[in-house]
Amino acid sequence: MNTVKVGDKVRFLNTTGGGIVRSFKGKDQVLVEDEDGFEVPALIRECVVVGGENEMQVHSSNRPKSQPQVQVQQSAPKPQPKPEEVKIEETAEGERMNIYLAYLPLEPTKVMQQSGYETYFINDSNYYLLFNYMNRHNNSWISRYNGLIEPNTKIFLEEFGKEDLNDLERICVQLIAFKKDKPYSLKNSISVELHLDTVKFYKQHCFMENDFFEEDAMVYPIVRNDVPERELLVSAADLKEAMYQKVQEERHAPQPIVKKKSDTAVLEVDLHITELLDNTNGLSNADMLTYQLDKFHEVLGKYANHKGQKIVFIHGKGDGVLRKAIEKELKTRYKQYYYQDASFREYGFGATMVTIK
C-alpha cells in the first residue's frame, strides 16, 4: 500500500481523474485539488501516487479532446458598381472662366444686429477648379477652405459671425483649372487678392439681387471672362511722390498769357410804356402790361447766350403791377437767372437787375 502525503500527485482507482493532495480529512480521506482548482474528497485507499507536485499533471482519459476550430471561409465581398458620373453640361459662355465669392446673411432681417453670414464659392465655367480660399493674418496667410469644385456649380465654404469680420479684410483665392477626359484650352494658374469693405456687412442695402441666389447677396468677382481681378494698391509714399512730380511739371510747363477781360457793360432797358410806344390810344392797362412783358421776354431771349451779362429793367415804382409781373416770370420761367433790385442811388425803387447765367 502506497503511503500518501501532502503534495503527492495521485490518480483515482475507481473513477477518472486525480490531482495534488492538499490536506487530510480524518484518518482515511484526503482532499485532492483537481485541474480546475477544486478540492475533491477521496478515500486514501482509492488513491495511487503517480508523482510529486513538480511533475507533469495527470490528465483524465475521459476528458474530451479539444476539437480543432473549423474555419469558415468567408466569401469575398461582391464588387459594388461604381456610381455613374454626372455628365457635365457645358455652355459656350463657360469656356471663359467667371469665378465669384458670395456672402449672404443668415438672417437678412437682422443684418444690423447679430446676424451671422455664410460664404459660397461660385464656378460659372466649364472647368473643374482646384482652389484655396484664405485670409491674411499679420504677414502670413491662413487657409479657410480648399478643395475641388465641379463645373457650373456653387458650394458652401463656411459660416462666420460679426466677430470674424476683421479677419476678412484681406482675402486671397488661388486656383487651377482643368477638364477631365477631354481636351481643353490651357488656363494659367490664378492668385487674386482682394480687400473686403467689412462695413458693408452691417448695411442691408449692400446685399443685392444677383444671378446665383434667390436671396440678396454681396458678390465679389475673382475672375471675369478669364481675366483675374486686379486691385489697384498704391502706397501713400508713391501717391505723394506722384503728386509732387505733377506739381513740378505743371510749374515748369509753358503757360499761355491770359489777359483779364474787362467787365461787361450793364444793359439798361426802360419798360415804361411811353418809352416803348409813341401812342397808347385804344390800349387797356392789360394790353399795355402784355406789351411790356413781351419786350422783357424779347430782351432776355436775345441775350440768353451772353453768360454774365447784366440787364437792368426799369419799370418804375407806380402801383408795382409791372414789377410783380416781372418777378413772377423770373421765379417761374427764368429760375436759372439771378436777379436783385438795381442800385437805389441810380434807379430808386423802380428797377430790377437780372444776371444771365
Coordinates of all heavy atoms in Angstrom, one line a residue, residues 254-260:
P254 N 5.2 125.5 -70.1 CA 4.8 126.8 -70.7 C 3.3 127.1 -70.6 O 2.5 126.2 -70.8 CB 5.3 126.8 -72.1 CG 5.4 125.3 -72.4 CD 5.8 124.6 -71.2
Q255 N 3.0 128.3 -70.1 CA 1.6 128.6 -69.9 C 1.2 129.8 -70.7 O 2.0 130.8 -70.8 CB 1.3 128.9 -68.4 CG 1.7 127.7 -67.5 CD 1.5 128.1 -66.0 OE1 1.0 129.2 -65.7 NE2 1.9 127.2 -65.1
P256 N 0.1 129.8 -71.4 CA -0.3 130.9 -72.2 C -0.7 132.1 -71.4 O -1.1 132.0 -70.2 CB -1.6 130.4 -73.0 CG -2.1 129.3 -72.1 CD -0.9 128.7 -71.4
I257 N -0.5 133.3 -71.9 CA -0.8 134.6 -71.2 C -2.3 134.8 -71.4 O -2.8 134.9 -72.6 CB 0.0 135.8 -71.7 CG1 1.5 135.5 -71.4 CG2 -0.4 137.1 -71.1 CD1 2.4 136.5 -72.0
V258 N -3.0 135.0 -70.3 CA -4.5 135.2 -70.4 C -4.7 136.6 -69.9 O -4.5 136.9 -68.7 CB -5.3 134.2 -69.6 CG1 -6.8 134.5 -69.7 CG2 -5.0 132.8 -70.2
K259 N -5.2 137.5 -70.7 CA -5.5 138.9 -70.3 C -6.9 138.9 -69.6 O -7.8 138.3 -70.1 CB -5.4 139.9 -71.5 CG -4.1 140.0 -72.0 CD -4.1 141.1 -73.2 CE -2.7 141.3 -73.7 NZ -2.7 142.3 -74.8
K260 N -6.9 139.7 -68.5 CA -8.2 139.8 -67.8 C -9.2 140.6 -68.6 O -8.9 141.7 -69.1 CB -8.0 140.4 -66.5 CG -9.2 140.4 -65.6 CD -8.9 141.0 -64.2 CE -10.1 141.0 -63.3 NZ -9.8 141.6 -62.0

